[in-house]
Amino acid sequence: MNIVLNGVTVAIKSPPLASLLTVLREELNVTSTKVGCEQGGCGACTALVNGKPQRTCLTPIAAVDGASVTTVEGLGDSDHLTAVQQSFVNHYAAQCGFCTPAMIIAATAYLEGNGSSDREEIEEALKGHTCRCTGYQKIVSAVAAAVAETTFDLTVTTPSPNTVIKSGGQT
Amino acid sequence: MSVDVLIPETTDAAVEAFGDGTDITVIAGGTIVMQLLNYRRITVSKAMLLNKAGLSYLRQSDSTWTVGAMTPLSDLLGMFSPLGACAANVADHEVQYQATIGGNLCAPTPPEHPSGDLQGPLIALGATVRSVGAGGERTDGVEEFLASRAGRLVLDISFETPQAGAFAALDRPHTRHFTALAVSGVKSGDTVRLAATGVGPVGVRLLSAEAAAGDPEAAGNAALADAVLRDDALASAWYRERTLPSLVARVLNEIKEAS
Ligand SMILES: Cc1cc2nc3c(=O)[nH]c(=O)nc-3n(C[C@H](O)[C@H](O)[C@H](O)COP(=O)(O)OP(=O)(O)OC[C@H]3O[C@@H](n4cnc5c(N)ncnc54)[C@H](O)[C@@H]3O)c2cc1C
Ligand code: FES
Ligand code: FES
C-alpha cells in the first residue's frame, strides 16, 4: 500500500484496517492530525483525501491505498503561510491549537469549493469541528477574511507564491 | 491477530467473496465500523471493503430511482423530501461524503441509542432492498429486510419519486450520532405512508397514524400506538411521547401544503 502524502509517495507498512490517523501519526510521524474522540465527532483528525476533508480516524488505510492525502504540513510552513493559515494568525483564531490544523484543513476545502464569506455558511461548513477554547467567533472571522483576501491553489502542495497570502489582513 | 482483508474490484467479485456472510465484516464508508474497531468493541477476522466494488451509483428511469449501496449521503442531499432532508440531517458535511446509504440501512443497533436515520424515509417511500447472501439474491421491502438483514450484503435500494414528501426531526445538538426522533411521510395517490426512527431499534412504519392521516392532530396521537418508546442516551421515553405527535402532525401538514 502507499499514499501520496503532501505530494510525496510513501509506502505503508501498517495493517490494512489501521486507521489513516494511526498511520499518519505512528508510522509517518505526521502529528498535525490529532487524536480526539476517534469516533468521528470532534473533527480534530481531519485531512484532505483526494481533495475532500475526511475523518482519518474513521478511514481504514486500505480504503485509501493510492490516494492523495493532504495535512496541514502540506499547505505551508512558517515562512510561507497559505491564505487560511495567515488569516488564522491575523484573527487570533487559535488558543491551545488542538483543533487548529483540522479547522485549517476544513476551511481550505471550503475555500476550494468557492465558499462565501457568509458567517452562517462558514459555521455550517465547520460544524463537524469542535473547539474547546475559542468560542468559534474568531475562527469564523478568520475564514471569512481568508475568503475575501485570497487566490488559493490547493493543488500546490509545496508552498509557492500562489499559496501565500501577503500580510495586511485585518488584525 | 491478523485480519484477512478483501477488496473486490467488481460487484460480482464482492458477491462471491461475501458468500453466505459467515464471519465477514463488511466495511462501506466505515463511519460506524471504524468507531467500533477503534474502541475494540468488535473483533474482525475477515473484512471486505466495498469502496472499489462498483456499488456507488444513482440511476433514474422514469420515476424509479435505484441507489447503489455505496452511494455516499452527500449524493442524496439534493433529492426530494423526506430522503434528501434526512440525509442532510445526518452528521456533518464531512461525514456525509464518507457515510453510505447501505451502511445507514445496516447500522447496528446498540443499546445506547437508535441508529440508521435513513430507514425512516426509505420505509415511508416503500423502498425495496436488493441483497445477496445465503439462498442467493432477494428483493425485500425495507421492513422485511430490517427484520432479516443478518448475513445479507445490500447491493442497491429502489423507490419511486413521491408525489409529495416531508421530514421532521428533533433538533440534534452538535454532531450527535443519531437523531433522537424523526418522522418521514410520503404521499402517493390517495395514500400517505408514515415512518419514524428513534422509536425502536430500527425504523418503524406508523400504521395507526396513517389510518388517521386526514386529521394531522389525531394522526399524531394515534402514532403513539405504533411506537415502543424507550429511554436511551439521546432522549427519555417521556420526552419522545410528548414530541412524536407534533412531528407527525408537522409532516402531514407539510405534505398537505405541498400537494
Ligand atoms: C459524527 C457522526 C455523526 C453521525 N450522525 C448520524 C446521524 O445523525 N444519523 C445516522 O443515521 N447516522 C449517523 N452517523 C452514523 C453513520 O455515519 C451513518 O449511519 C452512515 O450512513 C453509516 O454508513 P457507513 O457506510 O459509514 O457504514 P459502515 O460503518 O461502513 O457500516 C455500518 C454497518 O453496516 C454494514 N454494512 C455496510 N454496508 C453494507 C452493505 N452494503 N451490505 C450489508 N451490510 C453493510 C457494516 O458491516 C456495519 O455493520 C454518524 C456518524 C458519525 C461519525
Ligand atoms: S478523532 Fe477523528 S473525529 Fe475525533
Ligand atoms: S483552540 Fe483549543 S480546541 Fe480549538
Side-chain angles (χ1 to χ4, degrees), chain A residues 16-20 22 36-43 46 52-65 102 106 124-130 136, chain B residues 3-5 7 27-32 34-39 41 44 46-47 49 51-52 74 88-98 172 174-175 177:
Chain A
L17 293 189
S19 71
L20 174 58
T22 304
C37 61
E38 287 193 278
Q39 288 190 19
C42 74
T46 306
K52 284 188 179 159
Q54 189 161 322
R55 299 286 193 271
T56 60
C57 69
L58 300 182
T59 304
I61 186 66
V64 290
D65 187 13
E124 182 65 22
L126 299 182
K127 77 174 179 188
H129 293 257
T130 305
Y136 302 98
Chain B
V3 183
D4 191 8
V5 177
I7 311 180
I27 304 183
T31 61
I32 293 174
M34 287 300 286
Q35 294 184 46
L36 298 173
L37 282 172
N38 289 341
Y39 279 71
R41 291 175 82 175
V44 173
K46 192 164 151 194
L49 303 191
N51 55 313
K52 294 187 177 161
S74 52
N89 196 51
V90 170
D92 55 73
H93 302 298
E94 295 166 3
V95 172
Q96 287 162 9
Y97 284 129
Q98 198 173 340
R172 196 164 41 108
H174 190 54
T175 54
H177 287 201

Side-chain angles (χ1 to χ4, degrees), chain B residues 62-83:
Chain B
D62 299 324
S63 62
T64 306
W65 292 84
T66 301
V67 186
M70 282 298 287
T71 304
L73 304 194
S74 52
D75 285 2
L76 305 178
L77 300 181
M79 289 189 85
F80 41 75
S81 198
L83 189 58

